[in-house]
Amino acid sequence: MNDSKYIISIDKETVADLPLISYEGAITLVDSAAVAHAAIRALRKESIVGFDTETRPSFRKGRLHKVALMQIATSDRCFLFRLNKIGICAELKAFLEDPAVKKIGLSLHDDFAVLRRSCEMEPRGFVDLQVMVKHFEITDISLQKIYAIIFGERISKSQRLTNWEADTLSQAQQAYAALDAWACLKIYYYLADGSFDYKNSPYRHLFQPVVKKNHEN
């Protein structure tokens, strides 16, 4: 599928000019054991879900936080697991380790590393979009840029550095978090069913390798 002469990429200025997308699905805030059990029962009925996490930003060198929020999305609902309040229960751990449920995320190595600060686990059934998009000549690796290339719309990142361990998550935080997980799922479906005509993408261009010049002393 790949043609090594071409790549697909988009610059941040172009992304900034695209129309903003908002999350229109339902959101379930999972902040108790009872709600967590019900959420996992619902998710067990799905074969493919979107996945993302949020961690409280650290502005001090060397200070690391655990995952505060885990988002798991279906096509019309996103469950927001407040892990800083309820932790990772046995059912959620089993779900993350179940290879029968396909979980679509981005930069998953980073997510797994942070999750293991809270719980030892062996995540299975995960698909990393950063790997998948390479087969469609896309060289950008951020969710915002990948979504912009494929759908011509912009995901706002305004809530990224907010406090995900706050007592109450704002509506803006909830919508932001839900959108990221849902967007992963939408991208996967669009690529998997062949809907993305990458050869005719307006962001496809000839790859121009950077030639380093040798300087004489």
Side-chain angles (χ1 to χ4, degrees), residues 4-208:
S4 59
K5 295 180 180 178
Y6 289 89
I7 64 170
I8 297 175
S9 64
I10 189 170
D11 58 64
K12 62 182 181 180
E13 291 78 16
T14 302
V15 173
D17 289 335
L18 294 175
L20 196 62
I21 183 177
S22 58
Y23 179 72
E24 302 295 338
I27 295 175
T28 297
L29 200 61
V30 184
D31 55 4
S32 71
V35 179
H37 297 330
I40 295 166
R41 283 198 302 270
L43 288 168
R44 282 289 184 186
K45 299 175 183 178
E46 305 290 329
S47 58
I48 307 176
V49 296
F51 171 88
D52 195 24
T53 66
E54 303 295 342
T55 302
R56 178 182 176 181
S58 175
F59 300 105
R60 279 201 284 173
K61 186 177 181 180
R63 183 175 183 179
L64 302 174
H65 297 288
K66 296 179 180 180
V67 171
L69 189 72
M70 180 185 295
Q71 308 97 274
I72 304 179
T74 68
S75 58
D76 59 0
R77 178 176 293 275
C78 187
F79 296 91
L80 305 183
F81 290 81
R82 299 213 66 188
L83 300 186
N84 63 303
K85 291 181 175 290
I86 63 173
I88 300 175
C89 64
E91 291 94 336
L92 180 56
K93 180 176 182 290
F95 180 82
L96 297 174
E97 294 181 328
D98 187 353
V101 182
K102 191 175 291 186
K103 309 158 194 82
I104 316 302
L106 187 107
S107 190
L108 291 169
H109 181 271
D110 295 335
D111 284 322
F112 297 160
V114 183
L115 279 171
R116 289 189 176 109
R117 293 177 196 160
S118 301
C119 175
E120 278 301 317
M121 65 175 67
E122 291 301 326
R124 297 181 180 90
F126 282 83
V127 175
D128 196 324
L129 290 176
Q130 287 184 341
V131 176
M132 187 177 186
V133 299
K134 291 178 181 179
H135 299 290
F136 298 86
E137 300 180 342
I138 297 174
T139 57
D140 287 317
I141 59 173
S142 74
L143 181 63
Q144 186 185 50
K145 285 190 171 184
I146 293 170
Y147 195 92
I149 287 168
I150 295 174
F151 298 110
E153 296 175 318
R154 175 169 56 93
I155 294 175
S156 171
K157 307 306 289 183
S158 63
Q159 299 295 313
R160 183 171 67 90
L161 296 179
T162 56
N163 181 11
W164 295 102
E165 295 181 5
D167 288 340
T168 301
L169 293 181
S170 69
Q171 293 299 315
Q173 284 180 303
Q174 292 182 42
Y176 167 92
L179 177 58
D180 275 7
W182 174 84
C184 287
L185 185 61
K186 184 178 179 181
I187 289 169
Y188 174 82
Y189 278 131
Y190 201 77
L191 295 179
D193 69 11
S195 296
F196 180 51
D197 184 8
Y198 72 99
K199 289 188 176 180
N200 289 307
S201 169
Y203 309 112
R204 188 176 191 245
H205 52 272
L206 280 168
F207 173 61
Q208 300 290 340

